[in-house]
């Protein structure tokens, strides 16, 4: 750490000591901390460094460092940002994952730090640029892209910028218009509304009007007419013109290079972890992404040079601007990096026998790594998952207004994404009188106040039971098999019922889409057994369907359609019937076989559209197991050799 301290810029002193993001802008080739009030604003003429600090499950800090390069920034300032990123990493112990972010091609991870989006602004503090005069309002036209995270890009305020495929936002002094291209995506339209609310609050003090203009509407309609007047009158718009920014990099077979004397020299042969030496740096070219791997005992100057080699490699090979560059330190490799190697040990000792080979093969397959030495005719057998004993007492409470409200029996198993729940299962195990399984479930859209209260009330229950329960925190989408198996079936619904969630929706100016018995709602059914069977409410549009799965469509209060994809499993079809009965006991079910749907089915989904036939992969990450011993007398927390394969759930 002494060596790291020598190269650490004063602006980085004391950073990374709490969860959250910290941002610096490069000014006169030095990093300057950015005020929190300016987080999310990125001037096109500048470069920035963003540090995201998170807590690991073991209690230590984990770091992601991003350096953002504006399209008008100078090459010298962009280089400074890259170099200072390496210095910051050295000061944090040299274990951060580093990401290069080019304006307009930011990663989803980077964009997720800023809600609802980042706002690219003209100008900057770099030489040759001036900050725009904020008191003079300028009408701006943006194109809004992204289904999960939003990419907002300013385009010329001209009719030629519009097209039929995208969603646009026109921010004028007195009104904000959203123009929906006829072929635009429904999810992008919804995200654009969030951006409009942000612009309204940020730049109009929350008082300007908002108008929606749909592509193809007559210009005689008031909002549509006003919109087209700003463009000089109504006239047809052209087709979308592809640009360099629209080129998507292609993934290619991984190729490894050794970085020596500022050059990338190819290494022939099969990719194996044994090729990576801890005193060298390497470049792994995957086409759409370029990784820089840094050995533990390399010097800071070598690491800086490796980053520059990667930049030059991408430029000299004429790669698209969207090509990712990610730098990793030895021992902190990501699964996406390791998956390119045919040989990468997943545990400290190799399992013996064919059974062990099957387990490792399954893990490698999940990480999308190539598998060799496993007989194709003898696929690994899935292990039986240990579940809790049945016949116990199940209690569930929903968090609302700072208290826990017990759920009625018919509502147990239904979870709203905007709410938090406490689950207590009491059962008999062996000779013990009672065993307890206690956890709190956190919906992905729940508010922090409810999350905190759920933890507090769960701990109170834990103490009331004299510390007997096995206790845990469970996030939506990361449920353990033991948790899922308690509910027959488990259904995750949109929206929320708690007062905190309702207020959050109201404060954001969003429409409350909470599921009700009269909603038009679509449910995706997945699972092969009690421990992995779930129903998830998805957007009620035809694009949500998948030929590999089963779906339920609730159309009003009296009818539920069961839709079986031609490649769906018998288990999913049986689960669909259970979910339908759980949602609306005694309801009339109408069966729709894929390819023979009735018109009322498509009408409820807003019309027939193309949908996917690609099987959705589970969002799971297999991590290397670690075993720790704790010494209370000496205050030690030691990493021990681990001979048992353990699965952890976030």
């Amino acid at each position: 750490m002494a060596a790291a301290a020598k190269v650490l810029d004063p602006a980085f002193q004391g950073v990374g000591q709490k969860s959250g993001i910290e941002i610096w802008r490069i000014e006169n080739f030095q990093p300057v901390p950015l005020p929190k009030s300016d987080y999310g604003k990125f001037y096109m003429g500048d470069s920035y460094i963003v540090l995201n600090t998170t807590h690991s499950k073991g209690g230590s800090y984990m770091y992601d460092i991003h350096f953002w390069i504006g399209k008008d920034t100078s090459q010298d300032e962009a280089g400074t940002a890259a170099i200072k990123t390496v210095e910051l990493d050295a000061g944090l112990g040299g274990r951060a994952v580093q990401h290069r972010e080019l304006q307009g091609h930011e990663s989803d991870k980077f964009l997720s730090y800023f809600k609802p989006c980042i706002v690219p602004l003209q100008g900057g503090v770099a030489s040759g640029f001036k900050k725009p005069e904020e008191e003079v309002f300028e009408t701006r036209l943006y194109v809004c892209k992204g289904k999960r995270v939003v990419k907002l890009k300013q385009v010329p305020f001209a009719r030629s910028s519009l097209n039929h495929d995208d969603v646009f936002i026109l921010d004028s002094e007195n009104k904000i218009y959203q123009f929906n291209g006829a072929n635009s995506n429904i999810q992008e339209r919804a995200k654009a509304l969030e951006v409009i609310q942000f612009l309204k609050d940020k730049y109009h003090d929350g008082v300007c009007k908002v108008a929606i203009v749909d592509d193809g509407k007559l210009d005689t309609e008031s909002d549509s007419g006003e919109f087209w007047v700003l463009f000089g009158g109504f006239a047809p718009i052209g087709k979308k013109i592809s640009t360099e920014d629209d080129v998507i990099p292609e993934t290619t077979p991984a190729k490894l290079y050794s970085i020596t004397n500022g050059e990338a020299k190819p290494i022939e042969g099969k990719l194996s972890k044994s090729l990576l030496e801890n005193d060298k740096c390497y470049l792994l070219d995957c086409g759409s992404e370029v990784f820089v791997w840094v050995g533990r005992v390399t010097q800071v100057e070598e690491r800086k040079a490796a980053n520059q080699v990667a930049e030059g490699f991408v430029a000299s090979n004429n790669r698209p601007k969207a090509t990712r560059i990610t730098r990793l330190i030895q021992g902190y490799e990501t699964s996406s990096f390791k998956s390119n190697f045919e040989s990468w040990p997943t545990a400290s000792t190799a399992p013996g026998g064919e059974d062990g080979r099957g387990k490792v093969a399954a893990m490698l397959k999940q990480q999308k790594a190539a598998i060799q030495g496993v007989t194709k005719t003898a696929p690994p057998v899935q292990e039986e998952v240990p579940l809790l004993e049945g016949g116990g007492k199940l209690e569930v409470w929903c968090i609302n207004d700072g208290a826990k409200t017990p759920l009625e029996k018919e509502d147990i198993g239904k979870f709203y994404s905007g709410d938090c729940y406490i689950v207590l299962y009491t059962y008999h195990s062996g000779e013990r009188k009672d065993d307890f399984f206690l956890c709190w479930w956190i919906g992905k859209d729940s508010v922090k106040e409810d999350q905190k209260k759920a933890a507090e009330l769960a701990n109170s229950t834990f103490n009331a039971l004299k510390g007997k329960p096995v206790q845990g925190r469970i996030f939506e989408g990361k449920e353990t098999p033991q948790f899922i198996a308690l509910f027959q079936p488990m259904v995750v619904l949109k929206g929320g019922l708690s007062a905190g969630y309702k207020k959050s929706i109201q404060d954001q100016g969003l429409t409350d889409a909470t599921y009700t018995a009269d909603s038009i709602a679509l449910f995706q059914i997945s699972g092969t057994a009690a421990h992995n069977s779930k129903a998830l409410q998805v957007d009620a549009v035809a694009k949500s369907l998948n030929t590999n799965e089963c779906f339920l469509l609730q159309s009003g209060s009296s009818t539920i359609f069961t839709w079986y994809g031609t490649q769906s499993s018998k288990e999913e079809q049986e689960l669909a019937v259970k979910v339908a009965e759980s949602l609306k006991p005694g309801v009339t079910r109408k069966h729709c076989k894929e390819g023979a749907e009735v018109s009322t089915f498509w009408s409820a989904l807003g019309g027939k559209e193309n949908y996917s036939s690609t099987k959705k992969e589970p969002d799971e990450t297999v991590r290397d197991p670690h075993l720790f011993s704790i010494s209370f007398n000496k205050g030690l927390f030691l990493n021990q050799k681990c001979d048992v394969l353990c699965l952890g759930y976030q």
Side-chain angles (χ1 to χ4, degrees):
M1 291 299 295
K6 292 180 181 179
V7 298
L8 187 63
D9 193 285
F12 298 143
Q13 294 288 345
V15 303
Q17 300 304 308
K18 59 181 180 179
S19 297
I21 64 171
E22 298 170 83
I23 304 179
W24 298 263
R25 177 165 55 188
I26 303 300
E27 300 180 10
N28 295 320
F29 307 107
Q30 295 296 324
V32 177
L34 199 67
K36 289 189 180 296
S37 59
D38 287 338
Y39 281 16
K41 292 181 181 179
F42 289 85
Y43 286 94
M44 301 180 190
D46 292 331
S47 295
Y48 296 77
I49 297 174
V50 178
L51 169 65
N52 181 46
T53 305
T54 56
H55 256 116
S56 69
K57 296 173 69 174
S60 62
Y61 287 116
M62 299 179 67
Y63 305 106
D64 284 278
I65 305 176
H66 308 254
F67 58 100
W68 186 91
I69 301 172
K71 70 179 184 65
D72 296 324
T73 192
S74 69
Q75 189 170 354
D76 289 341
E77 285 199 347
T80 299
I83 291 172
K84 290 297 180 181
T85 294
V86 176
E87 294 180 10
L88 172 58
D89 179 30
L92 294 171
R95 61 182 187 271
V97 178
Q98 297 179 22
H99 314 263
R100 183 187 68 158
E101 308 285 353
L102 295 182
Q103 181 186 338
H105 303 283
E106 297 87 354
S107 65
D108 286 358
K109 185 179 186 69
F110 178 80
L111 294 173
S112 69
Y113 304 151
F114 308 96
K115 299 298 182 183
C117 64
I118 67 170
V119 181
L121 300 172
Q122 296 284 349
V125 299
S127 176
F129 291 94
K130 296 181 180 179
K131 282 189 177 181
E133 296 296 329
E134 295 186 359
E135 67 272 11
V136 178
F137 188 89
E138 177 186 352
T139 299
R140 295 187 176 95
L141 181 64
Y142 301 95
V143 60
C144 189
K145 298 183 179 182
K147 300 176 185 178
R148 292 189 302 149
V149 292
V150 179
K151 294 184 178 180
L152 192 69
K153 177 183 177 182
Q154 186 175 351
V155 294
F157 176 30
R159 188 197 314 277
S160 58
S161 296
L162 302 174
N163 62 62
H164 301 292
D165 299 310
D166 294 320
V167 178
F168 294 84
I169 296 174
L170 179 63
D171 187 10
S172 68
E173 188 167 8
N174 299 315
K175 185 180 286 189
I176 303 177
Y177 299 85
Q178 176 176 326
F179 176 80
N180 298 325
N183 303 324
S184 60
N185 184 280
I186 189 171
Q187 286 89 353
E188 290 182 330
R189 296 183 185 187
K191 285 294 182 182
L193 287 173
E194 297 179 22
V195 176
I196 286 177
Q197 185 62 44
F198 173 77
L199 295 175
K200 178 180 177 181
D201 295 337
K202 193 79 173 177
Y203 301 109
H204 298 269
D205 298 323
V207 295
C208 85
K209 296 180 180 179
V210 175
I212 307 297
V213 177
D214 289 321
D215 187 8
K217 276 195 173 182
L218 297 177
D219 60 350
T220 54
E221 299 183 25
S222 58
D223 290 334
S224 179
E226 292 175 359
F227 175 82
W228 289 111
V229 164
L230 295 172
F231 288 92
F234 177 80
I237 58 177
K239 295 182 179 180
K240 183 176 181 178
I241 300 175
S242 296
T243 65
E244 183 183 358
D245 289 345
D246 297 317
V247 178
I248 300 175
E250 295 183 0
T251 300
T252 59
K255 188 171 182 59
L256 187 65
Y257 296 80
S258 173
I259 298 178
T260 307
N261 297 326
E263 295 183 4
K265 298 182 178 180
I267 297 176
E268 302 299 332
K270 296 179 180 179
L271 296 185
S272 168
K273 182 183 178 182
S274 61
L275 294 173
L276 305 176
E277 300 178 27
N278 63 3
D279 61 345
K280 295 182 179 179
C281 298
Y282 296 84
L283 184 149
L284 183 69
D285 178 24
C286 301
S288 60
E289 185 167 16
V290 172
F291 294 94
V292 176
W293 184 92
V294 175
R296 278 188 176 279
V297 298
T298 53
Q299 300 299 313
V300 172
E301 294 305 318
E302 293 178 272
R303 301 179 183 189
K304 292 179 181 178
N307 280 4
Q308 294 172 347
V309 170
E311 297 270 1
F313 182 88
V314 170
S316 63
N317 285 278
N318 296 318
R319 296 290 172 83
K321 288 183 178 180
T323 304
R324 312 274 314 129
I325 296 180
T326 304
R327 202 215 70 167
L328 308 161
I329 191 73
Q330 180 182 2
Y332 294 89
E333 298 89 351
T334 61
S335 59
S336 59
F337 174 83
K338 292 188 288 187
S339 67
N340 294 287
F341 290 78
E342 295 183 2
S343 174
W344 194 287
T346 57
S348 55
T349 57
E354 289 302 313
D355 181 56
R357 289 159 64 85
K359 293 177 185 176
V360 173
M363 292 178 67
L364 291 174
K365 184 177 180 181
Q366 190 170 17
Q367 294 179 352
K368 296 182 173 61
I371 303 173
Q372 290 191 346
V374 179
T375 306
K376 292 183 179 180
T377 56
V381 178
Q382 185 177 3
E383 287 188 312
E384 182 178 350
V385 178
L387 303 178
L388 303 176
E389 284 79 357
K393 179 183 179 182
L394 181 61
E395 300 172 272
V396 183
W397 296 268
C398 181
I399 304 302
N400 189 14
D401 273 338
K404 59 178 186 179
T405 304
L407 295 188
E408 298 295 333
K409 184 177 180 180
E410 61 266 24
D411 290 328
I412 290 178
K414 300 173 185 175
F415 296 82
Y416 285 86
S417 289
D419 293 339
C420 295
Y421 299 80
I422 296 175
V423 176
L424 176 63
Y425 182 60
T426 307
Y427 62 101
H428 296 287
S429 175
E431 297 180 356
R432 295 184 61 178
K433 184 177 180 180
D434 281 320
D435 270 341
F436 304 93
F437 174 64
L438 172 67
C439 60
W440 65 101
W441 184 91
I442 299 175
K444 65 180 180 64
D445 298 323
S446 59
V447 297
K448 290 184 178 179
E449 292 78 5
D450 286 349
Q451 296 174 11
K452 181 179 179 182
K453 183 55 65 174
E456 293 175 355
L457 294 176
N459 285 328
S460 297
T461 303
F462 178 83
N463 294 330
L465 294 172
K466 300 180 180 179
K468 294 180 181 179
V470 174
Q471 185 179 8
R473 176 182 60 176
I474 294 179
F475 291 95
E476 177 184 338
K478 300 290 185 181
E479 297 87 358
T480 65
Q482 293 77 13
F483 180 86
I484 295 174
L486 294 176
F487 308 97
Q488 294 298 316
M490 178 179 175
V491 184
V492 181
L493 305 166
K494 286 180 175 288
L497 302 178
S498 75
Y501 172 80
K502 297 290 187 184
K503 184 177 184 301
S504 172
I505 290 296
Q506 183 179 6
D507 291 345
Q508 297 178 66
L510 303 177
T511 301
D512 188 357
T514 298
Y515 168 82
T516 66
D518 297 328
S519 302
I520 293 180
L522 184 65
F523 296 87
Q524 173 190 328
I525 310 297
S526 62
T528 58
H531 67 272
N532 61 17
S533 296
K534 288 197 303 182
L536 176 66
Q537 187 179 355
V538 295
D539 292 333
V541 292
K543 287 184 178 180
S544 297
L545 299 175
N546 191 302
T547 192
N548 293 286
E549 296 170 328
C550 294
F551 288 81
L552 289 180
L553 175 60
Q554 176 180 295
S555 177
S557 59
S558 59
T559 304
I560 283 188
F561 292 95
T562 55
W563 186 88
Y564 297 163
T566 55
Q567 302 300 317
S568 62
S569 67
K570 179 181 178 182
E571 292 84 356
E572 289 174 334
Q573 295 171 12
E574 292 173 349
L575 178 61
V577 175
K578 290 183 180 179
V579 174
E581 187 63 25
S582 171
L583 291 172
K584 302 178 79 67
V587 70
T588 301
R589 292 198 313 273
K590 295 183 179 180
H591 176 57
C592 278
K593 185 178 180 181
E594 183 180 10
E597 299 87 351
V598 296
S599 59
T600 51
F601 175 87
W602 294 120
S603 177
L605 291 176
K608 186 175 182 179
E609 296 180 82
N610 293 330
Y611 51 83
S612 175
S613 59
T614 303
K615 189 71 173 179
K616 297 179 176 64
E617 294 292 336
D619 182 19
E620 295 179 355
T621 303
V622 178
R623 297 177 175 84
D624 294 341
H626 297 276
L627 180 66
F628 296 91
S629 65
I630 302 175
S631 172
F632 292 99
N633 293 330
K634 298 181 180 180
L636 297 177
F637 190 65
L638 304 176
N639 191 358
Q640 300 291 331
K641 181 179 180 182
C642 179
D643 292 318
V644 181
L645 180 65
C646 304
L647 274 181
Y649 295 87
Q650 288 184 328

